[in-house]
Amino acid sequence: MRNRRLSYLLGLLLATVGAFWGQARGELFQTSTIDALIQGVYDGDMTFAELRKHGDFGIGTFNGIDGEMIAFDGRYYQITSDGKARPVRDEMRTPFASVTTFSTDIAIPVAVRVTLEELEQRIDRALPSPNWYYAVRVTGRFESVRARSVPRQQPPYRSLTEVVKTQPMFDSRDVEGVLAGFRCPEFAKGVNVPGYHLHFLNREANAGGHVSGLVLTSGKIEIAILREIHISLPSTASFGRANLTVDRTGEVKAVEK
Ligand SMILES: [Zn+2]
C-alpha cells in the first residue's frame, strides 16, 4: 500500500517536472512579418506591455519605425535615429519584433579578435543544426561597432528599402556592450530574417543600433535554442492590405545587411 502511494507520488513528481521542461522549451514570439515591414506596414497594434509578457530578450522596431529596439535581462531600449538609447515605455507599440525568454543552452568564450563575419562563423560551428531558431547574446569588449538606426517616418510610408538609403550610421570605438538578436533558418524567409540579425547597446545603455559591422576583442557568446514559434499577426487594416505574395528575399538582404 505504502509502496503504491510512493510510486504514485513519484509519478506525479515526474509528470510535473516533465510539464515544466516542456514549457521551458525555448519559444520565439514575433509580431507581424518581415515582408509586411519591408513594404511599409510600420504601424502595429501590439503594445510593449503586451510584448514584454512574451520575453525578456529580443529585437524589433517601433510604430512609424521610430528607431531600433533591443531587450535583454528584461530591460527594453529604444535607439532613435540620433543613435541614442532610452528605456521603452509600456504604451509604445511595435509593428515588428521578435522576443524570447532567454535561457542559455550553449556558451562560448571569445578571447581572440574577430570580425562580425568571423563571429557568425564561430557561432555557426557551435550550433547543433541550421534548422532551428537561435537567440544569440554576445557580451564583450569591442574595438569597433558600426550601427545604424532608422529615422521615424510619417505616412504615407515609403518602403523600408527607400528609408534605409538615408539612414544614419554610427561608428563607436573601444566600447563594451551587448549584442542581442537571432539566427533564423533559411525557411524563415518572408516571415523573419534568415541568418543573423543583431542589435547593439553599449554598457552605459545610452547608444547602439542595428549592427552592420564590428570587431570583438573579447567576450562571451550565449545561445538559446528555440524550437517553438509563436507568430502574432496585427489586426490593422494596413497589414490586411499588404501584398504578401511576392518573394522579397533581395529586399530583405539589402535592408538588413
Ligand atoms: Zn535590426
Side-chain angles (χ1 to χ4, degrees):
M1 189 67 189
R2 190 168 252 191
N3 271 348
R4 205 177 287 171
R5 176 171 283 184
L6 197 66
S7 71
Y8 168 77
L9 286 173
L10 196 65
L12 198 67
L13 181 73
L14 286 173
T16 312
V17 169
F20 174 74
W21 273 348
Q23 274 191 344
R25 274 170 70 99
E27 178 184 275
L28 175 85
F29 176 92
Q30 76 168 78
T31 178
S32 196
T33 69
I34 189 68
D35 279 13
L37 186 76
I38 286 272
Q39 64 187 274
V41 181
Y42 295 157
D43 291 320
D45 53 2
M46 180 164 290
T47 63
F48 277 88
E50 177 64 26
L51 188 68
R52 276 177 205 279
K53 291 181 192 162
H54 299 279
D56 57 9
F57 175 98
I59 55 175
T61 185
F62 300 84
N63 275 13
I65 51 165
D66 190 11
E68 311 283 335
M69 185 276 279
I70 180 171
F72 53 88
D73 298 335
R75 289 189 292 273
Y76 280 64
Y77 298 90
Q78 176 191 23
I79 300 149
T80 43
S81 60
D82 54 5
K84 293 196 176 130
R86 73 212 66 187
V88 172
R89 298 188 316 275
D90 273 353
E91 68 274 17
M92 294 167 86
R93 287 173 195 268
T94 176
F96 181 75
S98 305
V99 299
T100 189
T101 302
F102 197 98
S103 160
T104 307
D105 293 306
I106 303 165
I108 315 160
V110 182
V112 295
R113 188 177 176 276
V114 287
T115 62
L116 177 59
E117 203 181 9
E118 289 161 348
L119 178 67
E120 292 177 356
Q121 287 166 357
R122 186 167 282 231
I123 298 169
D124 277 346
R125 286 197 298 272
L127 301 179
S129 164
N131 298 339
W132 294 313
Y133 286 68
Y134 301 95
V136 176
R137 171 182 175 148
V138 181
T139 312
R141 174 169 278 282
F142 301 82
E143 186 182 299
S144 64
V145 178
R146 168 161 278 205
R148 50 101 161 155
S149 185
V150 278
R152 187 193 180 102
Q153 300 295 299
Q154 301 296 336
Y157 293 135
R158 301 177 294 161
S159 74
L160 199 50
T161 326
E162 286 303 312
V163 174
V164 297
K165 282 179 185 163
T166 55
Q167 65 188 340
M169 287 276 191
F170 310 99
D171 287 303
S172 316
R173 299 200 70 80
D174 296 320
V175 283
E176 283 180 62
V178 173
L179 300 172
F182 296 91
R183 183 198 189 281
C184 296
E186 279 306 308
F187 67 78
K189 83 175 179 163
V191 179
N192 209 313
V193 180
Y196 290 90
H197 182 183
L198 299 169
H199 288 183
F200 174 74
L201 186 73
N202 67 359
R203 203 171 92 118
E204 294 73 25
N206 57 22
H210 172 104
V211 173
S212 57
L214 58 80
V215 176
L216 172 71
T217 48
S218 65
K220 178 177 62 169
I221 302 165
E222 290 164 282
I223 299 162
I225 305 171
L226 311 176
R227 297 191 185 96
E228 302 284 343
I229 314 296
H230 182 159
I231 302 169
S232 175
L233 299 176
S235 60
T236 56
S238 60
F239 184 84
R241 279 195 306 269
N243 179 359
L244 302 177
T245 67
V246 180
D247 185 344
R248 297 184 191 272
T249 307
E251 289 167 68
V252 172
K253 280 210 172 104
V255 164
E256 299 298 338
K257 70 177 180 221

